[in-house]
Amino acid sequence: MTSSNEISRIIGIESSGMRLDQAAAQLFPEYSRARLQQWIKDGELKMDGQQVRGKDKVLGGEQLTLNKPAEALSSHEPEKLALDIVYEDEAIIVINKPVGLVVHPAAGNYTGTLLNGLLSRYPELKSLPRAGIVHRLDKDTSGLMVVARTLEAHQDLVAQLQERSVKRVYDAIVQGVLTAGGTVNAPIGRHPVNRQKRAVNPSGPDSRDAVTHYRIKDRFRSFTHLQCMLETGRTHQIRVHLSHIGYPIVGDPVYGGRMKPPKGAAPELLAFLQSFKRQALHARALGLQHPVTGDYKEWETPLPEDMKQLLRLLDQDRE
């Protein structure tokens, strides 16, 4: 921190050779790449105190200073929303996000988002980047998220995410029967053809390393209940990685492919699988160092009812 309106971060040596805008996107994941590029052009984001171009290459070790990071949230109106608060204190809020709630306003979803609800309940978040939101869950993924209440907590949480020290554990129900757990270590970037999708794309210009660990919780006739642990937090990471290894998440409308129910399955299971229109993915556990006290804290939240019911029906089918 250099002043209340500036954030300074050091480019890591591992970013050597990258374009400045790419390195900035890794250092400031709470902002979109387009916004960072604009700030570079406007001189709001400087390297070693100098105005530079987004395409300039970095060596590693340079200091990036971002001026006035608080986003113009004026268009994001506070809205009263029912929020499931798992924990809160003066520095952080932990939320259990329901299925169907969009985290941040974007094209097609300017109201009714988690951000709108946070601004209503915690007006002080208006002065923070993205109203204190430091990581996201997809609209139809449920589970735990942490939100910062102060700029200091925000910077601390972003640093923990970059250092990969935040524990994020997910439950996923996938198509196919795995024989063992494992790790997917495969870079993810934009899909080369469909710009709305992500893909394992090692040579893509915006690809970034992505690591997902998974282990088996239960096996069924044609499905597996997995526990996944994120080491990195790329957009759609678990969904892309599991689809990449041939075990897409049940109900995933983007990466799921065609549903293959078990032969001779009961009509109730078949009907439920047909009606399951969202990825069966839930952020069950979250662990981090508290930004103020430094104590390690961890929270868990049970599976939502639709995933519980799916597991019950798969268990009956196995019997």
Side-chain angles (χ1 to χ4, degrees), residues 148-184:
R149 291 186 79 170
T150 67
L151 197 55
E152 291 72 27
H154 187 277
Q155 288 189 286
D156 189 279
L157 291 172
V158 168
Q160 288 188 56
L161 286 162
Q162 287 175 340
E163 290 158 8
R164 305 184 182 182
S165 62
V166 176
K167 178 180 176 181
R168 286 172 288 172
V169 179
Y170 290 71
D171 278 78
I173 305 169
V174 302
Q175 298 189 55
V177 183
L178 284 95
T179 53
T183 295
V184 187

Side-chain angles (χ1 to χ4, degrees), residues 45-310:
L45 180 56
K46 293 181 176 175
M47 185 163 71
D48 291 337
Q50 303 296 313
Q51 185 164 354
V52 283
R53 298 171 303 172
K55 65 182 182 182
D56 289 348
K57 296 284 196 285
V58 304
L59 298 172
E62 300 94 335
Q63 182 180 52
L64 291 189
T65 305
L66 175 58
N67 190 40
K68 295 178 184 164
E71 288 197 70
L73 290 173
S74 55
S75 61
H76 302 336
E77 294 300 321
E79 286 179 63
K80 279 204 166 171
L81 295 178
L83 299 177
D84 183 2
I85 306 297
V86 175
Y87 173 87
E88 65 179 311
D89 60 26
E90 72 288 344
I92 61 173
I93 307 153
V94 177
I95 293 168
N96 182 21
K97 187 190 88 65
V99 172
L101 180 63
V102 174
V103 170
H104 196 269
N109 288 293
Y110 288 111
T111 60
T113 71
L114 175 61
L115 185 144
N116 298 111
L118 285 169
L119 288 176
S120 172
R121 185 160 175 160
Y122 307 97
E124 72 272 16
L125 297 182
K126 198 169 180 74
S127 65
L128 295 183
R130 292 187 192 266
I133 295 167
V134 291
H135 66 124
R136 299 186 187 199
L137 293 176
D138 295 331
K139 175 186 174 185
D140 288 329
T141 298
S142 54
L144 296 174
M145 288 179 59
V146 64
V147 176
R149 291 186 79 170
T150 67
L151 197 55
E152 291 72 27
H154 187 277
Q155 288 189 286
D156 189 279
L157 291 172
V158 168
Q160 288 188 56
L161 286 162
Q162 287 175 340
E163 290 158 8
R164 305 184 182 182
S165 62
V166 176
K167 178 180 176 181
R168 286 172 288 172
V169 179
Y170 290 71
D171 278 78
I173 305 169
V174 302
Q175 298 189 55
V177 183
L178 284 95
T179 53
T183 295
V184 187
N185 186 344
I188 289 174
R190 280 202 188 277
H191 193 283
V193 178
N194 184 342
R195 305 300 285 169
Q196 305 305 310
K197 290 175 70 170
R198 303 277 157 169
V200 168
N201 187 9
S203 59
D206 66 340
S207 287
R208 295 163 71 185
D209 60 325
V211 182
T212 307
H213 307 284
Y214 62 92
R215 69 178 184 80
I216 294 167
K217 292 187 81 170
D218 206 354
R219 289 190 193 90
F220 304 97
R221 284 207 299 144
S222 298
F223 299 89
T224 310
H225 180 191
L226 294 179
Q227 174 180 297
C228 301
M229 188 177 281
L230 285 181
E231 195 172 305
T232 54
R234 309 303 175 214
T235 301
H236 300 174
Q237 178 173 317
I238 294 174
R239 298 164 65 189
V240 170
H241 271 171
L242 292 178
S243 180
H244 176 68
I245 63 170
Y247 296 92
I249 297 176
V250 170
D252 192 327
V254 180
Y255 306 101
R258 206 172 116 261
M259 178 69 72
K260 302 177 192 75
K263 284 198 173 83
E268 194 184 355
L269 173 58
L270 291 174
F272 197 77
L273 286 169
Q274 294 274 302
S275 68
F276 207 98
K277 298 298 186 194
R278 65 102 174 180
Q279 60 271 7
L281 184 63
H282 174 69
R284 178 168 55 84
L286 177 71
L288 51 86
Q289 271 196 308
H290 191 279
V292 176
T293 66
D295 295 336
Y296 179 77
K297 297 185 79 70
E298 190 168 322
W299 302 269
E300 280 212 27
T301 184
L303 286 174
E305 199 48 49
D306 61 347
M307 285 180 68
K308 283 184 186 170
Q309 176 64 1
L310 178 55

